[in-house]
Amino acid sequence: MSSTLVTRPPQTSIFRLSFPVPHVLLVTIDREKSRNAIPFTGHFEGDAIFTWFDEEPLLRVAVITGSGNKAFCAGADLIEQNARASGKEELPKTNVFPPSGFAGLSRRLGKKPVIVAVNGFALGGGFEICLNSDVVVSAPNAKFGLPEVNVGLYAAAGGLSRIARSAGLQVASELALTGRHITADEAKQWSLINRIAKSQESVVAEALDIAQLIASKSPDAVIVSRAGIREAFETASMERASQVTDQRYRGALIQGENYKIGVKAFSEKKTPEWVSSKL
């Protein structure tokens, strides 16, 4: 599929990009020896990749996972941080993160959905990616945690506010203040992940199954539905969130080609053939 893309993906040394099924981007963090910890440059590479993903007409859903079988992402590259803290390396002249956060994902607003396939440890920034993703599929043996307090830091990439909103004050406090790891079962119990895969080996395949299902729906409707959910998550008033989504998207959705395709296919009892979203 990469040969049929309308635009060229950005260059990256941290991530591996592939296109395993139509309309789906698979992003693999390619630092297995470092447990897929993300160095400083990786945050900006991730931002570039997911900005490009949102604008590439042929892509509808992204899945992100880690290389190897031990870690999805162990967080920030603390070896690099230690070198900078000790003066062995120069401190970055820009912000540590882009506005979209850790790996370009932990504070990403975005337009299209991102699914996380957690194939091992998801710690620190790796867990913060999960907390801001649309769907999380976890290997049975995966572990999650915010261990920043163990090294004199805090979860600075947006994870504290998101885990408090998703799991509540007490759960968020326990995890952030103790730094302990939790199991996939605990994460699911606290609504921090969607499902636990049948096995570690199947986690990416199961995430791709969800991605394919989403990609089979109207791209316009997926974008607007995601925006409405996000608005509600970020807004104190549920009714105000509904108003904002309606005012921002209803007109363009109804006037768009995919709406006409969808209702025509329904009336004719045919499978709709969607076109790229213009939202």
Side-chain angles (χ1 to χ4, degrees), residues 122-153:
L123 304 177
F127 192 15
E128 291 182 279
I129 290 174
C130 299
L131 292 169
N132 191 44
S133 68
D134 298 291
V135 177
V136 183
V137 180
S138 171
N141 61 334
K143 296 290 180 64
F144 302 83
L146 297 174
E148 285 84 354
V149 291
N150 296 325
V151 293
L153 293 169

Side-chain angles (χ1 to χ4, degrees), residues 3 42-43 76 83 104 108 118 128 130 162 165 189 201 217 249:
S3 61
H43 307 309
R108 170 183 177 263
V118 182
E128 291 182 279
C130 299
R162 286 170 175 80
R165 177 61 65 91
Q189 174 188 339
E201 292 73 24
K217 311 305 179 184
Y249 291 106

Side-chain angles (χ1 to χ4, degrees), residues 19-242:
F19 309 90
V21 293
H23 307 297
V24 176
L25 167 67
L26 176 60
V27 180
T28 303
I29 307 170
D30 197 16
R31 302 188 81 228
E32 182 179 356
K33 292 183 179 179
S34 300
R35 295 205 170 186
N36 298 316
I38 304 291
F40 172 72
T41 56
H43 307 309
F44 294 87
E45 287 188 12
D47 177 74
I49 289 166
F50 288 100
T51 298
W52 165 77
F53 157 69
D54 271 338
E55 298 305 320
E56 166 53 48
L58 291 182
L59 294 175
R60 300 176 185 173
V61 188
V63 175
I64 183 168
T65 192
S67 58
N69 57 14
K70 292 184 178 179
F72 161 62
C73 175
D77 188 334
L78 294 182
I79 304 300
E80 178 188 61
Q81 288 199 16
N82 178 60
R84 287 190 166 130
S86 62
K88 295 178 182 178
E89 291 186 14
E90 187 177 359
L91 290 170
K93 294 183 173 63
T94 60
N95 291 329
V96 175
F97 301 119
S100 54
F102 189 94
L105 285 171
S106 70
R107 297 179 68 183
R108 170 183 177 263
L109 298 176
K111 183 169 69 173
K112 301 173 185 176
V114 174
I115 299 170
V116 184
V118 182
N119 56 308
F121 287 103
L123 304 177
F127 192 15
E128 291 182 279
I129 290 174
C130 299
L131 292 169
N132 191 44
S133 68
D134 298 291
V135 177
V136 183
V137 180
S138 171
N141 61 334
K143 296 290 180 64
F144 302 83
L146 297 174
E148 285 84 354
V149 291
N150 296 325
V151 293
L153 293 169
Y154 74 101
L160 296 179
S161 54
R162 286 170 175 80
I163 195 170
R165 177 61 65 91
S166 295
L169 174 64
Q170 284 73 27
V171 170
S173 297
E174 178 183 345
L175 297 188
L177 302 184
T178 67
R180 80 173 183 91
H181 298 175
I182 62 171
T183 65
D185 287 329
E186 288 177 294
K188 190 172 188 302
Q189 174 188 339
W190 291 327
S191 301
L192 298 173
I193 64 174
N194 292 75
R195 64 177 67 179
I196 300 173
K198 295 181 178 66
S199 67
Q200 185 180 44
E201 292 73 24
S202 70
V203 65
V204 173
E206 292 186 44
L208 287 172
D209 286 343
I210 299 172
Q212 281 187 284
L213 182 59
I214 295 172
S216 73
K217 311 305 179 184
S218 163
D220 293 356
V222 169
I223 288 170
V224 176
S225 297
R226 179 184 183 274
I229 293 166
R230 292 262 161 175
E231 190 68 36
F233 187 78
E234 300 286 352
T235 305
S237 166
M238 288 184 289
E239 180 55 33
R240 179 55 183 157
S242 299

